[in-house]
Amino acid sequence: MCSAISRTKPVQRALALTLLLRPNTEGSSYAIAESRRFCSGVSPSIYPLRATSRSYCSRMALTEGLLFRQLFESESSTYTYLLGDTETKEAILIDPVLETIERDLKLIHELGLNLKVAVNTHCHADHITSTGLMKKRLVGLKSAISKFSGASADILLSEGDKIYFGKHYLTARETPGHTDGCMVLVTGDQNMAFTGDTLLIRGCGRTDFQQGCAKKLYESVHQKIFTLPDQCLVYPAHDYRGQTVTTVGEERKFNPRLTKSLEEFENIMSNLNLPKPKKIDIAVPANLVCGVHNV
């Protein structure tokens, strides 16, 4: 559950817990959407929570024995994900950010976790990863990224590779399009997918730099993500509107870009006219060497 729930009135808190625990039925998408109203950073009109940040948000994992935390970095609107085995305490970290390294290390220590792997879903252009510096602080920690990213890491991942932590694992799915080295990481039970910049909540990553290709991204989403179960929770690397999670079924039905034909999608992507990321000139070189370039 989100940390903000503890600050609500008892009736509101009970409602939030009911929505989060509701089984996956025909109303599951509604329940998930409603539960977002109780996450910090969102100000619903009916039950306003007046939260000021989303720096820390914990959610209940669907898989028995899986510890899960969703963390937020506000400058680049990046989500970092911590997953751990509650028995062995082995853990992995997805898309860590340099500016929040102290927060992440503190949480890992508080939870008594043994961080085995820090993995990046791709070579980011909007922030510097903390993976390199984190390796200097945690003995035995290994870095991981796609072998097609062009970046250095201890583990270079390919299609189907698995990252184990205790009895759990994530499977890598290659999803080029935003960059050549983009990956989606899927839990073994296919209940959760960490989609990086490939698929966002009601959006997707841009395709106008870093080997971007709209056709590849479209095919990646339809072949590697939309083939997952409808109820699979989708956790992106970014969100800019206070949203935290979606589902494969929701995006297959409501994503305003990826519900279009390929031709329509390519036209949309070629006319976004977005400014380049502010940190691209320092972030990309740094992330190609695990985040330790000139840091």
Side-chain angles (χ1 to χ4, degrees):
M1 72 187 92
C2 292
S3 56
I5 291 179
S6 63
R7 299 194 295 274
T8 65
K9 295 179 180 179
V11 174
Q12 297 171 19
R13 182 163 63 252
L15 176 59
L17 287 169
T18 300
L19 291 169
L20 285 170
L21 294 172
R22 183 180 295 180
N24 287 322
T25 62
E26 290 181 353
S28 61
S29 293
Y30 173 79
I32 291 168
E34 287 296 294
S35 69
R36 287 189 211 130
R37 301 205 289 186
F38 295 90
C39 294
S40 52
V42 182
S43 297
S45 57
I46 300 177
Y47 301 115
L49 300 182
R50 306 302 181 190
T52 57
S53 70
R54 290 179 290 156
S55 61
Y56 178 88
C57 181
S58 62
R59 289 187 172 275
M60 299 180 65
L62 296 180
T63 304
E64 183 178 356
L66 177 66
L67 180 150
F68 173 55
R69 297 291 186 270
Q70 181 182 44
L71 305 160
F72 185 72
E73 191 279 313
S74 59
E75 183 180 354
S76 60
S77 296
T78 298
Y79 285 122
T80 295
Y81 300 99
L82 176 66
L83 295 89
D85 187 303
T86 57
E87 293 183 8
T88 68
K89 298 299 183 179
E90 291 185 347
I92 63 172
L93 194 65
I94 302 172
D95 288 335
V97 180
L98 181 63
E99 283 78 6
T100 53
I101 185 172
E102 297 302 331
R103 176 203 66 188
D104 296 347
L105 289 173
K106 182 175 183 288
L107 179 60
I108 291 165
H109 175 74
E110 289 174 343
L111 297 177
L113 299 175
N114 175 19
L115 193 65
K116 305 294 290 185
V117 179
V119 55
N120 284 288
T121 53
H122 63 291
C123 184
H124 300 277
D126 57 358
H127 68 268
I128 297 174
T129 180
S130 65
T131 304
L133 290 184
M134 196 170 284
K135 285 177 59 180
K136 297 181 179 181
R137 304 273 294 273
L138 297 176
V139 176
L141 175 63
K142 295 185 180 297
S143 58
I145 199 168
S146 166
K147 71 175 184 179
F148 296 111
S149 66
S152 59
D154 299 308
I155 303 170
L156 297 177
L157 296 165
S158 300
E159 177 76 20
D161 285 350
K162 293 179 173 58
I163 307 174
Y164 288 90
F165 53 107
K167 67 180 179 182
H168 306 284
Y169 64 87
L170 296 180
T171 301
R173 295 190 174 199
E174 295 170 354
T175 54
H178 174 61
T179 73
D180 280 347
C182 283
M183 293 185 311
V184 168
L185 302 169
V186 183
T187 55
D189 56 12
Q190 296 192 352
N191 274 333
M192 306 165 77
F194 302 91
T195 56
D197 284 17
T198 299
L199 179 63
L200 306 179
I201 300 173
R202 305 299 191 266
C204 63
R206 61 195 294 175
T207 57
D208 57 338
F209 63 83
Q210 277 188 289
Q211 317 97 40
C213 174
K215 183 175 185 293
K216 285 183 179 180
L217 190 148
Y218 187 90
E219 292 173 345
S220 290
V221 171
H222 282 267
Q223 295 172 12
K224 300 294 182 69
I225 303 177
F226 282 178
T227 52
L228 290 166
D230 278 357
Q231 70 272 16
C232 178
L233 297 172
V234 171
Y235 290 97
H238 303 281
D239 188 81
Y240 310 97
R241 293 170 293 181
Q243 302 169 108
T244 57
V245 62
T246 182
T247 68
V248 169
E250 283 184 35
E251 294 308 312
R252 192 188 295 118
K253 185 176 181 180
F254 299 120
N255 192 292
R257 298 177 184 175
L258 290 154
T259 51
K260 308 294 186 183
S261 68
L262 173 58
E263 183 179 357
E264 291 173 314
F265 178 75
E266 289 180 311
N267 183 59
I268 290 171
M269 299 307 291
S270 64
N271 288 285
L272 293 179
N273 299 317
L274 299 171
K276 73 175 186 177
K278 295 179 180 179
K279 290 187 175 182
I280 186 171
D281 293 331
I282 59 172
V284 172
N287 291 332
L288 287 173
V289 289
C290 216
V292 296
H293 174 68
N294 290 335
V295 174

PDB file of all heavy atoms in Angstrom, residues 65-90:
ATOM      1  N   GLY A  65       5.997 -13.829  -0.813  1.00  0.00           N
ATOM      2  CA  GLY A  65       7.420 -13.802  -0.498  1.00  0.00           C
ATOM      3  C   GLY A  65       8.215 -12.757  -1.244  1.00  0.00           C
ATOM      4  O   GLY A  65       9.439 -12.736  -1.159  1.00  0.00           O
ATOM      5  N   LEU A  66       7.522 -11.884  -1.978  1.00  0.00           N
ATOM      6  CA  LEU A  66       8.205 -10.839  -2.742  1.00  0.00           C
ATOM      7  C   LEU A  66       8.033  -9.491  -2.063  1.00  0.00           C
ATOM      8  O   LEU A  66       6.915  -9.007  -1.881  1.00  0.00           O
ATOM      9  CB  LEU A  66       7.655 -10.768  -4.168  1.00  0.00           C
ATOM     10  CG  LEU A  66       8.241  -9.666  -5.064  1.00  0.00           C
ATOM     11  CD1 LEU A  66       9.715  -9.933  -5.347  1.00  0.00           C
ATOM     12  CD2 LEU A  66       7.465  -9.551  -6.371  1.00  0.00           C
ATOM     13  N   LEU A  67       9.131  -8.869  -1.704  1.00  0.00           N
ATOM     14  CA  LEU A  67       9.117  -7.504  -1.190  1.00  0.00           C
ATOM     15  C   LEU A  67       9.242  -6.550  -2.367  1.00  0.00           C
ATOM     16  O   LEU A  67      10.077  -6.756  -3.247  1.00  0.00           O
ATOM     17  CB  LEU A  67      10.272  -7.314  -0.211  1.00  0.00           C
ATOM     18  CG  LEU A  67      10.444  -5.936   0.442  1.00  0.00           C
ATOM     19  CD1 LEU A  67      11.057  -6.097   1.826  1.00  0.00           C
ATOM     20  CD2 LEU A  67      11.304  -5.002  -0.398  1.00  0.00           C
ATOM     21  N   PHE A  68       8.432  -5.485  -2.358  1.00  0.00           N
ATOM     22  CA  PHE A  68       8.421  -4.562  -3.489  1.00  0.00           C
ATOM     23  C   PHE A  68       8.272  -3.129  -3.011  1.00  0.00           C
ATOM     24  O   PHE A  68       7.420  -2.819  -2.193  1.00  0.00           O
ATOM     25  CB  PHE A  68       7.279  -4.906  -4.438  1.00  0.00           C
ATOM     26  CG  PHE A  68       7.082  -3.914  -5.560  1.00  0.00           C
ATOM     27  CD1 PHE A  68       8.117  -3.584  -6.414  1.00  0.00           C
ATOM     28  CD2 PHE A  68       5.857  -3.298  -5.754  1.00  0.00           C
ATOM     29  CE1 PHE A  68       7.942  -2.671  -7.433  1.00  0.00           C
ATOM     30  CE2 PHE A  68       5.668  -2.390  -6.782  1.00  0.00           C
ATOM     31  CZ  PHE A  68       6.707  -2.072  -7.624  1.00  0.00           C
ATOM     32  N   ARG A  69       9.135  -2.255  -3.519  1.00  0.00           N
ATOM     33  CA  ARG A  69       9.053  -0.832  -3.235  1.00  0.00           C
ATOM     34  C   ARG A  69       9.199  -0.049  -4.537  1.00  0.00           C
ATOM     35  O   ARG A  69      10.072  -0.328  -5.358  1.00  0.00           O
ATOM     36  CB  ARG A  69      10.150  -0.395  -2.262  1.00  0.00           C
ATOM     37  CG  ARG A  69      10.075  -1.026  -0.873  1.00  0.00           C
ATOM     38  CD  ARG A  69       8.869  -0.526  -0.100  1.00  0.00           C
ATOM     39  NE  ARG A  69       8.872  -1.021   1.270  1.00  0.00           N
ATOM     40  CZ  ARG A  69       8.306  -2.150   1.646  1.00  0.00           C
ATOM     41  NH1 ARG A  69       7.731  -2.941   0.748  1.00  0.00           N
ATOM     42  NH2 ARG A  69       8.332  -2.519   2.918  1.00  0.00           N
ATOM     43  N   GLN A  70       8.330   0.953  -4.699  1.00  0.00           N
ATOM     44  CA  GLN A  70       8.402   1.873  -5.827  1.00  0.00           C
ATOM     45  C   GLN A  70       8.888   3.214  -5.296  1.00  0.00           C
ATOM     46  O   GLN A  70       8.281   3.785  -4.396  1.00  0.00           O
ATOM     47  CB  GLN A  70       7.020   2.020  -6.475  1.00  0.00           C
ATOM     48  CG  GLN A  70       7.006   2.944  -7.691  1.00  0.00           C
ATOM     49  CD  GLN A  70       5.602   3.088  -8.265  1.00  0.00           C
ATOM     50  OE1 GLN A  70       4.649   3.247  -7.518  1.00  0.00           O
ATOM     51  NE2 GLN A  70       5.478   3.021  -9.579  1.00  0.00           N
ATOM     52  N   LEU A  71       9.967   3.717  -5.852  1.00  0.00           N
ATOM     53  CA  LEU A  71      10.607   4.944  -5.373  1.00  0.00           C
ATOM     54  C   LEU A  71      10.630   5.973  -6.496  1.00  0.00           C
ATOM     55  O   LEU A  71      10.685   5.625  -7.679  1.00  0.00           O
ATOM     56  CB  LEU A  71      12.030   4.633  -4.897  1.00  0.00           C
ATOM     57  CG  LEU A  71      12.122   3.521  -3.846  1.00  0.00           C
ATOM     58  CD1 LEU A  71      13.522   2.949  -3.791  1.00  0.00           C
ATOM     59  CD2 LEU A  71      11.710   4.045  -2.493  1.00  0.00           C
ATOM     60  N   PHE A  72      10.644   7.247  -6.126  1.00  0.00           N
ATOM     61  CA  PHE A  72      10.491   8.316  -7.123  1.00  0.00           C
ATOM     62  C   PHE A  72      11.569   9.376  -6.978  1.00  0.00           C
ATOM     63  O   PHE A  72      11.906   9.800  -5.861  1.00  0.00           O
ATOM     64  CB  PHE A  72       9.110   8.966  -6.958  1.00  0.00           C
ATOM     65  CG  PHE A  72       8.786  10.004  -7.997  1.00  0.00           C
ATOM     66  CD1 PHE A  72       8.511   9.638  -9.303  1.00  0.00           C
ATOM     67  CD2 PHE A  72       8.737  11.349  -7.669  1.00  0.00           C
ATOM     68  CE1 PHE A  72       8.201  10.595 -10.263  1.00  0.00           C
ATOM     69  CE2 PHE A  72       8.417  12.316  -8.612  1.00  0.00           C
ATOM     70  CZ  PHE A  72       8.154  11.926  -9.914  1.00  0.00           C
ATOM     71  N   GLU A  73      12.123   9.795  -8.101  1.00  0.00           N
ATOM     72  CA  GLU A  73      13.096  10.897  -8.146  1.00  0.00           C
ATOM     73  C   GLU A  73      12.440  12.041  -8.910  1.00  0.00           C
ATOM     74  O   GLU A  73      12.079  11.888 -10.075  1.00  0.00           O
ATOM     75  CB  GLU A  73      14.389  10.436  -8.821  1.00  0.00           C
ATOM     76  CG  GLU A  73      15.553  11.407  -8.699  1.00  0.00           C
ATOM     77  CD  GLU A  73      15.479  12.541  -9.717  1.00  0.00           C
ATOM     78  OE1 GLU A  73      15.237  12.244 -10.900  1.00  0.00           O
ATOM     79  OE2 GLU A  73      15.660  13.714  -9.317  1.00  0.00           O
ATOM     80  N   SER A  74      12.285  13.190  -8.263  1.00  0.00           N
ATOM     81  CA  SER A  74      11.415  14.238  -8.791  1.00  0.00           C
ATOM     82  C   SER A  74      12.001  15.047  -9.943  1.00  0.00           C
ATOM     83  O   SER A  74      11.260  15.524 -10.803  1.00  0.00           O
ATOM     84  CB  SER A  74      11.012  15.195  -7.664  1.00  0.00           C
ATOM     85  OG  SER A  74      12.155  15.787  -7.068  1.00  0.00           O
ATOM     86  N   GLU A  75      13.321  15.229  -9.988  1.00  0.00           N
ATOM     87  CA  GLU A  75      13.887  16.086 -11.031  1.00  0.00           C
ATOM     88  C   GLU A  75      13.663  15.507 -12.427  1.00  0.00           C
ATOM     89  O   GLU A  75      13.287  16.231 -13.361  1.00  0.00           O
ATOM     90  CB  GLU A  75      15.388  16.289 -10.800  1.00  0.00           C
ATOM     91  CG  GLU A  75      16.018  17.231 -11.823  1.00  0.00           C
ATOM     92  CD  GLU A  75      17.504  17.447 -11.595  1.00  0.00           C
ATOM     93  OE1 GLU A  75      18.025  16.948 -10.568  1.00  0.00           O
ATOM     94  OE2 GLU A  75      18.137  18.105 -12.441  1.00  0.00           O
ATOM     95  N   SER A  76      13.884  14.215 -12.590  1.00  0.00           N
ATOM     96  CA  SER A  76      13.692  13.577 -13.891  1.00  0.00           C
ATOM     97  C   SER A  76      12.424  12.739 -13.938  1.00  0.00           C
ATOM     98  O   SER A  76      12.162  12.061 -14.931  1.00  0.00           O
ATOM     99  CB  SER A  76      14.891  12.685 -14.224  1.00  0.00           C
ATOM    100  OG  SER A  76      15.050  11.663 -13.248  1.00  0.00           O
ATOM    101  N   SER A  77      11.621  12.794 -12.868  1.00  0.00           N
ATOM    102  CA  SER A  77      10.386  12.005 -12.775  1.00  0.00           C
ATOM    103  C   SER A  77      10.648  10.526 -13.064  1.00  0.00           C
ATOM    104  O   SER A  77       9.923   9.877 -13.818  1.00  0.00           O
ATOM    105  CB  SER A  77       9.317  12.551 -13.734  1.00  0.00           C
ATOM    106  OG  SER A  77       8.949  13.861 -13.370  1.00  0.00           O
ATOM    107  N   THR A  78      11.699  10.014 -12.437  1.00  0.00           N
ATOM    108  CA  THR A  78      12.111   8.625 -12.654  1.00  0.00           C
ATOM    109  C   THR A  78      11.672   7.737 -11.504  1.00  0.00           C
ATOM    110  O   THR A  78      11.802   8.097 -10.336  1.00  0.00           O
ATOM    111  CB  THR A  78      13.643   8.531 -12.787  1.00  0.00           C
ATOM    112  OG1 THR A  78      14.065   9.287 -13.932  1.00  0.00           O
ATOM    113  CG2 THR A  78      14.099   7.089 -12.950  1.00  0.00           C
ATOM    114  N   TYR A  79      11.156   6.572 -11.847  1.00  0.00           N
ATOM    115  CA  TYR A  79      10.840   5.558 -10.857  1.00  0.00           C
ATOM    116  C   TYR A  79      11.994   4.564 -10.738  1.00  0.00           C
ATOM    117  O   TYR A  79      12.519   4.085 -11.747  1.00  0.00           O
ATOM    118  CB  TYR A  79       9.574   4.787 -11.236  1.00  0.00           C
ATOM    119  CG  TYR A  79       8.302   5.555 -11.006  1.00  0.00           C
ATOM    120  CD1 TYR A  79       7.422   5.806 -12.056  1.00  0.00           C
ATOM    121  CD2 TYR A  79       7.959   6.021  -9.743  1.00  0.00           C
ATOM    122  CE1 TYR A  79       6.237   6.499 -11.855  1.00  0.00           C
ATOM    123  CE2 TYR A  79       6.784   6.726  -9.528  1.00  0.00           C
ATOM    124  CZ  TYR A  79       5.930   6.959 -10.589  1.00  0.00           C
ATOM    125  OH  TYR A  79       4.758   7.661 -10.377  1.00  0.00           O
ATOM    126  N   THR A  80      12.364   4.274  -9.501  1.00  0.00           N
ATOM    127  CA  THR A  80      13.319   3.220  -9.185  1.00  0.00           C
ATOM    128  C   THR A  80      12.549   2.126  -8.454  1.00  0.00           C
ATOM    129  O   THR A  80      11.678   2.419  -7.632  1.00  0.00           O
ATOM    130  CB  THR A  80      14.445   3.755  -8.281  1.00  0.00           C
ATOM    131  OG1 THR A  80      15.189   4.737  -9.011  1.00  0.00           O
ATOM    132  CG2 THR A  80      15.385   2.639  -7.846  1.00  0.00           C
ATOM    133  N   TYR A  81      12.866   0.870  -8.752  1.00  0.00           N
ATOM    134  CA  TYR A  81      12.132  -0.237  -8.155  1.00  0.00           C
ATOM    135  C   TYR A  81      13.071  -1.165  -7.393  1.00  0.00           C
ATOM    136  O   TYR A  81      14.104  -1.582  -7.913  1.00  0.00           O
ATOM    137  CB  TYR A  81      11.391  -1.023  -9.238  1.00  0.00           C
ATOM    138  CG  TYR A  81      10.389  -0.181  -9.993  1.00  0.00           C
ATOM    139  CD1 TYR A  81      10.700   0.367 -11.232  1.00  0.00           C
ATOM    140  CD2 TYR A  81       9.135   0.096  -9.449  1.00  0.00           C
ATOM    141  CE1 TYR A  81       9.787   1.156 -11.917  1.00  0.00           C
ATOM    142  CE2 TYR A  81       8.207   0.878 -10.126  1.00  0.00           C
ATOM    143  CZ  TYR A  81       8.544   1.409 -11.359  1.00  0.00           C
ATOM    144  OH  TYR A  81       7.631   2.195 -12.034  1.00  0.00           O
ATOM    145  N   LEU A  82      12.678  -1.471  -6.164  1.00  0.00           N
ATOM    146  CA  LEU A  82      13.427  -2.394  -5.316  1.00  0.00           C
ATOM    147  C   LEU A  82      12.583  -3.644  -5.113  1.00  0.00           C
ATOM    148  O   LEU A  82      11.435  -3.565  -4.668  1.00  0.00           O
ATOM    149  CB  LEU A  82      13.725  -1.733  -3.971  1.00  0.00           C
ATOM    150  CG  LEU A  82      14.425  -2.594  -2.911  1.00  0.00           C
ATOM    151  CD1 LEU A  82      15.848  -2.952  -3.358  1.00  0.00           C
ATOM    152  CD2 LEU A  82      14.470  -1.854  -1.565  1.00  0.00           C
ATOM    153  N   LEU A  83      13.153  -4.801  -5.449  1.00  0.00           N
ATOM    154  CA  LEU A  83      12.470  -6.074  -5.269  1.00  0.00           C
ATOM    155  C   LEU A  83      13.367  -6.997  -4.464  1.00  0.00           C
ATOM    156  O   LEU A  83      14.583  -7.054  -4.702  1.00  0.00           O
ATOM    157  CB  LEU A  83      12.144  -6.736  -6.612  1.00  0.00           C
ATOM    158  CG  LEU A  83      11.141  -6.021  -7.523  1.00  0.00           C
ATOM    159  CD1 LEU A  83      11.867  -5.042  -8.443  1.00  0.00           C
ATOM    160  CD2 LEU A  83      10.368  -7.035  -8.360  1.00  0.00           C
ATOM    161  N   GLY A  84      12.779  -7.703  -3.513  1.00  0.00           N
ATOM    162  CA  GLY A  84      13.572  -8.586  -2.678  1.00  0.00           C
ATOM    163  C   GLY A  84      12.826  -9.851  -2.301  1.00  0.00           C
ATOM    164  O   GLY A  84      11.585  -9.894  -2.327  1.00  0.00           O
ATOM    165  N   ASP A  85      13.571 -10.870  -1.945  1.00  0.00           N
ATOM    166  CA  ASP A  85      13.023 -12.114  -1.430  1.00  0.00           C
ATOM    167  C   ASP A  85      12.924 -11.979   0.087  1.00  0.00           C
ATOM    168  O   ASP A  85      13.931 -11.739   0.761  1.00  0.00           O
ATOM    169  CB  ASP A  85      13.934 -13.289  -1.813  1.00  0.00           C
ATOM    170  CG  ASP A  85      13.341 -14.638  -1.447  1.00  0.00           C
ATOM    171  OD1 ASP A  85      13.029 -14.840  -0.261  1.00  0.00           O
ATOM    172  OD2 ASP A  85      13.220 -15.495  -2.337  1.00  0.00           O
ATOM    173  N   THR A  86      11.722 -12.125   0.630  1.00  0.00           N
ATOM    174  CA  THR A  86      11.527 -11.892   2.059  1.00  0.00           C
ATOM    175  C   THR A  86      12.212 -12.947   2.931  1.00  0.00           C
ATOM    176  O   THR A  86      12.445 -12.708   4.120  1.00  0.00           O
ATOM    177  CB  THR A  86      10.023 -11.869   2.402  1.00  0.00           C
ATOM    178  OG1 THR A  86       9.422 -13.105   1.981  1.00  0.00           O
ATOM    179  CG2 THR A  86       9.335 -10.702   1.722  1.00  0.00           C
ATOM    180  N   GLU A  87      12.542 -14.101   2.367  1.00  0.00           N
ATOM    181  CA  GLU A  87      13.207 -15.154   3.137  1.00  0.00           C
ATOM    182  C   GLU A  87      14.724 -15.027   3.084  1.00  0.00           C
ATOM    183  O   GLU A  87      15.395 -14.967   4.112  1.00  0.00           O
ATOM    184  CB  GLU A  87      12.763 -16.526   2.636  1.00  0.00           C
ATOM    185  CG  GLU A  87      11.295 -16.838   2.895  1.00  0.00           C
ATOM    186  CD  GLU A  87      10.904 -18.226   2.447  1.00  0.00           C
ATOM    187  OE1 GLU A  87      11.808 -19.014   2.071  1.00  0.00           O
ATOM    188  OE2 GLU A  87       9.703 -18.541   2.463  1.00  0.00           O
ATOM    189  N   THR A  88      15.279 -14.984   1.872  1.00  0.00           N
ATOM    190  CA  THR A  88      16.740 -14.943   1.731  1.00  0.00           C
ATOM    191  C   THR A  88      17.297 -13.541   1.855  1.00  0.00           C
ATOM    192  O   THR A  88      18.502 -13.366   2.063  1.00  0.00           O
ATOM    193  CB  THR A  88      17.159 -15.511   0.365  1.00  0.00           C
ATOM    194  OG1 THR A  88      16.722 -14.618  -0.676  1.00  0.00           O
ATOM    195  CG2 THR A  88      16.570 -16.893   0.132  1.00  0.00           C
ATOM    196  N   LYS A  89      16.449 -12.524   1.680  1.00  0.00           N
ATOM    197  CA  LYS A  89      16.834 -11.108   1.721  1.00  0.00           C
ATOM    198  C   LYS A  89      17.667 -10.682   0.514  1.00  0.00           C
ATOM    199  O   LYS A  89      18.197  -9.564   0.487  1.00  0.00           O
ATOM    200  CB  LYS A  89      17.594 -10.773   3.014  1.00  0.00           C
ATOM    201  CG  LYS A  89      16.776 -10.996   4.281  1.00  0.00           C
ATOM    202  CD  LYS A  89      15.543 -10.117   4.314  1.00  0.00           C
ATOM    203  CE  LYS A  89      14.764 -10.272   5.605  1.00  0.00           C
ATOM    204  NZ  LYS A  89      13.569  -9.393   5.651  1.00  0.00           N
ATOM    205  N   GLU A  90      17.808 -11.552  -0.479  1.00  0.00           N
ATOM    206  CA  GLU A  90      18.471 -11.129  -1.710  1.00  0.00           C
ATOM    207  C   GLU A  90      17.557 -10.177  -2.475  1.00  0.00           C
ATOM    208  O   GLU A  90      16.336 -10.354  -2.480  1.00  0.00           O
ATOM    209  CB  GLU A  90      18.822 -12.331  -2.576  1.00  0.00           C
ATOM    210  CG  GLU A  90      19.912 -13.209  -2.000  1.00  0.00           C
ATOM    211  CD  GLU A  90      20.327 -14.314  -2.933  1.00  0.00           C
ATOM    212  OE1 GLU A  90      19.611 -14.572  -3.923  1.00  0.00           O
ATOM    213  OE2 GLU A  90      21.387 -14.935  -2.682  1.00  0.00           O
TER     214      GLU A  90
END
